[in-house]
């Protein structure tokens, strides 16, 4: 009896090890970074509606308000998925999920090959017991997270309306993996910002891109 139990345990262990190892092998076969642009080299090859400016000693692309900007990344090696990282700076008084027809919601989204794959909101407001405009990020719209949740940097000044405030710009780094196998990838970034009561809405809230990075993956 003891021998049989030993044998069963042995076979179970083998089965566990084999399934674990093969599932590891099957998940990610290769990953290759094919594009990385932080605009330090002023590289705007294959962009549309791009413009650069210097913010806090860093060259970034923007600022945008109710606009789209896209980049095409050609000549990708064979792959079946892409990992896309976008660093977004939300400047000034983004109002997150507020749905009042005046201040928001304030959407930011991106598309891959003209298909929207990600839509969220950002909120740059304070959060107190009597006033707290929630944002969807780090989830997609509609989720009720706290303002600036998931940010990688919050101590940057605003760009226009909040230019004199030390926490007026929030930096987010969004990394996602998507199925993709075409030789070219088009990334379109855009927003739907609302601020109908502001004399200059672009000054009230806008966004910029600090970095775009793409890796091609082989996942089996
Ligand atoms: Ca606002
Ligand atoms: Ca707004």
């Amino acid at each position: 009896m003891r021998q049989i139990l030993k044998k069963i345990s042995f076979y179970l262990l083998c089965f566990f090890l084999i399934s674990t190892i093969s599932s590891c092998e099957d998940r990610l076969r290769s990953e290759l970074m094919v594009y990385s642009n932080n605009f330090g080299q002023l590289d705007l090859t294959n962009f549309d509606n791009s413009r650069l400016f210097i913010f806090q000693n860093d060259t970034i692309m923007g600022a945008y308000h109710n606009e789209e900007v896209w980049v095409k990344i050609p000549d990708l090696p064979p792959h079946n998925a892409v990992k896309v990282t976008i660093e977004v700076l939300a400047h000034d008084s983004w109002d997150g999920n507020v749905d009042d027809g005046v201040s928001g919601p304030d959407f930011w989204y991106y598309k891959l090959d003209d298909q929207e794959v990600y839509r969220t909101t950002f909120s740059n407001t304070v959060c107190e017991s009597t006033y707290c405009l929630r944002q969807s990020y780090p989830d997609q719209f509609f989720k009720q997270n706290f303002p600036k949740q998931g940010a990688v940097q919050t101590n940057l000044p605003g760009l226009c309306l909040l230019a004199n405030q030390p926490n007026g710009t929030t930096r987010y780094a969004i990394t996602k993996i998507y199925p993709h196998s075409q030789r070219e990838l088009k990334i379109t970034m855009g927003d739907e910002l609302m601020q109908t009561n502001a004399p200059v809405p672009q000054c009230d809230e806008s966004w910029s891109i600090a970095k775009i990075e793409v890796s091609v993956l082989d996942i089996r």
Side-chain angles (χ1 to χ4, degrees), residues 34-95:
V34 291
Y35 186 81
S36 182
N37 191 349
N38 65 3
F39 308 106
Q41 306 299 314
L42 313 183
D43 180 9
L44 293 177
T45 310
N46 296 324
F47 272 89
D48 181 72
N49 196 32
S50 58
R51 50 182 183 259
L52 298 177
F53 72 109
I54 294 173
F55 179 71
Q56 294 291 295
N57 299 318
D58 190 17
T59 303
I60 60 176
M61 185 174 71
Y64 297 102
H65 176 104
N66 277 304
E67 284 176 88
E68 286 189 343
V69 52
W70 56 251
V71 58
K72 286 179 178 173
I73 301 163
D75 304 323
L76 299 177
H79 62 286
N80 60 18
V82 285
K83 182 162 88 177
V84 178
T85 295
I86 303 174
E87 279 193 23
V88 192
L89 274 68
H91 304 293
D92 304 304
S93 74
W94 284 64
D95 303 283

Side-chain angles (χ1 to χ4, degrees), residues 7-20:
K7 253 187 183 170
I8 290 173
S9 307
F10 175 74
Y11 285 131
L12 278 174
L13 180 66
C14 286
F15 177 75
F16 173 75
L17 283 174
I18 288 166
S19 58
T20 308

Side-chain angles (χ1 to χ4, degrees), residues 91-96 98 102-104 106 125 131 133 161 193-195 197-198 201 203-205:
H91 304 293
D92 304 304
S93 74
W94 284 64
D95 303 283
V98 68
V102 176
S103 291
D106 285 334
T125 66
Y131 184 80
L133 303 182
L161 184 71
L193 286 168
M194 178 183 285
Q195 201 63 53
N197 59 355
C203 186
D204 197 276
E205 50 208 22

Side-chain angles (χ1 to χ4, degrees), residues 62-151:
Y64 297 102
H65 176 104
N66 277 304
E67 284 176 88
E68 286 189 343
V69 52
W70 56 251
V71 58
K72 286 179 178 173
I73 301 163
D75 304 323
L76 299 177
H79 62 286
N80 60 18
V82 285
K83 182 162 88 177
V84 178
T85 295
I86 303 174
E87 279 193 23
V88 192
L89 274 68
H91 304 293
D92 304 304
S93 74
W94 284 64
D95 303 283
N97 292 336
V98 68
D99 190 6
D100 60 0
V102 176
S103 291
D106 285 334
F107 293 110
W108 187 86
Y109 61 84
Y110 66 90
K111 304 172 185 171
L112 298 183
D113 300 329
D114 297 320
Q115 295 289 315
E116 185 174 299
V117 292
Y118 191 82
R119 171 173 288 254
T120 192
T121 62
F122 298 124
S123 172
N124 262 350
T125 66
V126 295
C127 191
E128 295 164 348
S129 57
T130 52
Y131 184 80
C132 184
L133 303 182
R134 302 289 189 123
Q135 70 177 27
S136 291
Y137 192 83
D139 298 295
Q140 295 205 54
F141 186 76
F142 173 82
K143 278 288 177 75
Q144 295 278 29
N145 292 315
F146 289 109
K148 305 184 181 184
Q149 193 168 324

